[in-house]
Amino acid sequence: SSGINAEYGGQVCAICSSGFVRKGNHCVACNQLFAAISWIVGIAAFTLLMWLMLKPLSVQTGIFVKVNILVSFLQILSQFNVYTGNNNSNTGSTTWPSAFVQFTSFLNFANLDILSSTSLDCAVGYRIDFYQGYLFIILLPFVFGAFISLLFGIWMFLERKEFFSCLPRKIKRYSYEDLQSMLVRNLLYIVTTFYPSVSSRVLQLFRCEEISSQYYNVYDYSIQCYDQKWNSFMGLSVFMIVFWIVGVPVAVFGIVSRYKIELQQSSKKHTLRFGVVYGNFKLSYFYWGGLEFVRKLFFTSIIIFIAPNSSLQLVVALLVSQLTILLQMGLSPFKKKSDNIAQTLALIAIFLTLFYGAFHSPNQ
């Protein structure tokens, strides 16, 4: 069985038994074919990301902007089965269909969330608890960033030592300053991609439910809240809230404000470095990249604390979703008309998905 009646155990029968993996509100039987496809798609996505990082592509190219819109849409959609409703059967605000749950879990490759998108529990034959997944997700962008920094550090060192001077002229070489700019741009890519998944995992630690005078994490009922181990992770979460959840949008706003003139003048250096959070928007909406971080934060993380386990949660999400559509249609912040159309369609798709969830709410 792959639905809500699959084998459960533990607190309130909400922990998946051996041979099953958690997918949103469901325990789903391990599917090796699905896991294999997920790994293939994940490797392909990682390869594409690495290729983009090694290419000095202009961030204004049409394909990049539309891919970024698509990735943002998938990142939000992939979190719907996480924040809408409680993981306990039929007590939450929405019980999504099993097929939708598996599909959205598969979409976690857009967040580079290997644990959720590839059903790693099934592959290793070992149940990965919330704490282990927590550490894995929040460390992944830093490890990835360190790897990219090392790679470009070696490249810059060899370039400075004229190691590539013997290469044929037809092979393009990059200056030391260009490589520095590419490194900064790539680190911003990493932050942009991992921001929703890391923020969501950090805040999920604080979603606890009282059961028989004890509090348990609603994303893993084997985890007891407010004990010594939970308190140690709480300290790490507070740090991540300040450094990552709040710090990243503030840093983005600071960057575009600090270099607004250079970016408006299309300075090659600053556009290559910071264009990923600025270059797609009209000059009057230079700050819109920072607002995109806030929008993704709301739909993937903040909403889990607004009237949990009630239909009001989806109502609030619907209202905010409608507001984003009105702002997008009214302001058209992107430079290109086609990008504004693509973003509008993505926002409408999010609204319609939430509307479907509200319509099928068991509390109504």
Side-chain angles (χ1 to χ4, degrees):
S1 173
S2 60
I4 199 66
N5 294 321
E7 293 184 13
Y8 288 81
Q11 292 294 333
V12 296
C13 293
I15 300 175
C16 297
S17 301
S18 177
F20 293 83
V21 63
R22 170 71 62 187
K23 298 290 184 182
N25 297 343
H26 300 257
C27 279
V28 179
C30 290
N31 186 320
Q32 298 302 324
L33 176 61
F34 178 81
I37 294 174
S38 301
W39 276 104
I40 292 173
V41 173
I43 292 173
F46 177 79
T47 303
L48 176 61
L49 181 62
M50 289 297 298
W51 179 77
L52 288 173
M53 287 185 171
L54 296 175
K55 296 286 287 185
L57 296 174
S58 170
V59 295
Q60 283 90 358
T61 53
I63 186 63
F64 172 80
V65 180
K66 291 175 179 59
V67 168
N68 192 41
I69 291 173
L70 175 62
V71 169
S72 296
F73 166 69
L74 296 178
Q75 287 177 327
I76 293 174
L77 188 64
S78 68
Q79 297 298 307
F80 278 4
N81 68 70
V82 174
Y83 75 72
T84 49
N86 190 301
N87 287 335
N88 191 12
S89 62
N90 294 325
T91 61
S93 60
T94 297
T95 300
W96 297 100
S98 179
F100 178 82
V101 169
Q102 291 197 56
F103 175 69
T104 53
S105 296
F106 173 75
L107 294 180
N108 266 301
F109 73 83
N111 294 308
L112 297 183
D113 186 346
I114 298 173
L115 296 181
S116 298
S117 61
T118 62
S119 303
L120 193 59
D121 302 50
C122 296
V124 300
Y126 168 77
R127 182 178 178 275
I128 300 174
D129 68 19
F130 178 83
Y131 289 138
Q132 293 166 332
Y134 177 101
L135 290 175
F136 181 85
I137 293 300
I138 68 170
L139 288 176
L140 193 57
F142 297 100
V143 172
F144 195 19
F147 171 73
I148 293 297
S149 299
L150 177 62
L151 184 65
F152 271 85
I154 295 173
W155 192 353
M156 287 186 285
F157 173 79
L158 295 177
E159 189 65 50
R160 175 165 282 182
K161 295 296 182 180
E162 298 294 328
F163 181 81
F164 302 109
S165 59
C166 59
L167 293 176
R169 290 186 176 182
K170 64 179 181 179
I171 298 179
K172 182 175 177 59
R173 292 176 57 192
Y174 306 106
S175 67
Y176 187 82
E177 185 177 87
D178 284 344
L179 291 175
Q180 282 184 317
S181 297
M182 290 169 64
L183 174 58
V184 173
R185 180 200 65 180
N186 291 337
L187 293 177
L188 280 175
Y189 277 162
I190 293 172
V191 171
T192 301
T193 303
F194 281 101
Y195 183 77
S197 59
V198 172
S199 300
S200 177
R201 192 59 66 107
V202 167
L203 293 179
Q204 283 174 17
L205 179 75
F206 299 96
R207 278 288 287 116
C208 298
E209 180 183 5
E210 185 178 8
I211 301 173
S212 301
S213 301
Q214 297 289 340
Y215 285 87
Y216 296 89
N217 187 278
V218 300
Y219 300 102
D220 185 346
Y221 282 92
S222 69
I223 302 299
Q224 186 172 333
C225 298
Y226 314 128
D227 61 5
Q228 185 176 359
K229 189 172 185 179
W230 186 93
N231 287 332
S232 64
F233 275 83
M234 188 267 290
L236 178 58
S237 288
V238 170
F239 170 79
M240 289 299 296
I241 289 172
V242 175
F243 173 77
W244 183 269
I245 297 178
V246 177
V248 167
V250 169
V252 169
F253 280 118
I255 288 172
V256 296
S257 298
R258 168 66 177 82
Y259 298 107
K260 180 173 63 174
I261 296 177
E262 290 86 347
L263 290 167
Q264 289 176 346
Q265 294 174 347
S266 298
S267 164
K268 177 185 175 182
K269 173 183 174 181
H270 294 91
T271 300
L272 182 59
R273 290 187 176 189
F274 308 122
V276 65
V277 293
Y278 167 82
N280 312 324
F281 306 105
K282 298 175 182 176
L283 298 182
S284 55
Y285 300 112
F286 67 92
Y287 53 83
W288 208 263
L291 292 181
E292 278 294 291
F293 278 97
V294 176
R295 180 177 72 91
K296 289 193 285 188
L297 176 65
F298 176 83
F299 282 109
T300 61
S301 304
I302 294 177
I303 190 64
I304 68 176
F305 297 101
I306 299 177
N309 305 337
S310 73
S311 298
L312 179 61
Q313 185 181 60
L314 277 176
V315 171
V316 172
L318 277 168
L319 291 175
V320 175
S321 179
Q322 187 176 34
L323 176 62
T324 61
I325 294 173
L326 293 175
L327 288 173
Q328 170 61 36
M329 296 180 67
L331 300 177
S332 298
F334 288 88
K335 291 179 178 178
K336 294 184 179 180
K337 182 178 180 180
S338 60
D339 296 333
N340 283 305
I341 293 175
Q343 178 74 335
T344 301
L345 292 175
L347 295 176
I348 291 175
I350 290 173
F351 176 84
L352 292 177
T353 306
L354 288 169
F355 183 81
Y356 170 84
F359 182 77
H360 285 272
S361 172
N363 285 346
Q364 291 190 3

